[in-house]
């Protein structure tokens, strides 16, 4: 159910700003609109859960070793 002013994002909206809008307005989705305010997509809280999962997903040890080579100890 939409009420009053609808919070929106554009394709250029930073990810953290979209997340902030979801949290600040206690909403579960954010319409993404183009310059003419036509709906072109939607960002949901589930999208952020999936992003978080992907960021903490287990990685092979070879990936970790590759990022630490040459690091000062």
């Amino acid at each position: 159910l939409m009420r009053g002013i609808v919070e929106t994002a554009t394709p250029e909206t930073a990810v953290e700003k979209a997340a902030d809008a979801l949290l600040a307005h206690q909403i579960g989705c954010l319409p993404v609109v183009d310059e003419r305010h036509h709906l072109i997509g939607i960002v949901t809280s589930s999208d952020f859960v999936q992003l978080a999962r992907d960021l903490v997903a287990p990685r092979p040890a070879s990936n970790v070793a590759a990022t630490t080579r040459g690091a000062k100890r």
Side-chain angles (χ1 to χ4, degrees):
L1 178 66
M2 288 194 210
R3 53 193 152 95
I5 297 172
V6 177
E7 291 295 321
T8 62
T10 67
E12 293 79 27
T13 300
V15 172
E16 60 273 12
K17 284 212 158 256
D20 288 345
L22 291 176
L23 293 169
H25 300 286
Q26 298 180 355
I27 53 178
C29 61
L30 193 62
V32 180
V33 297
D34 65 15
E35 63 279 349
R36 297 173 302 190
H37 299 284
H38 292 146
L39 182 67
I40 58 173
I42 191 165
V43 176
T44 68
S45 55
S46 294
D47 293 328
F48 285 100
V49 170
Q50 183 174 352
L51 175 62
R53 185 208 57 209
D54 292 347
L55 291 173
V56 298
R59 291 178 174 78
S62 59
N63 288 359
V64 175
T67 61
T68 59
R69 285 190 194 123
K72 294 181 182 179
R73 297 180 189 233

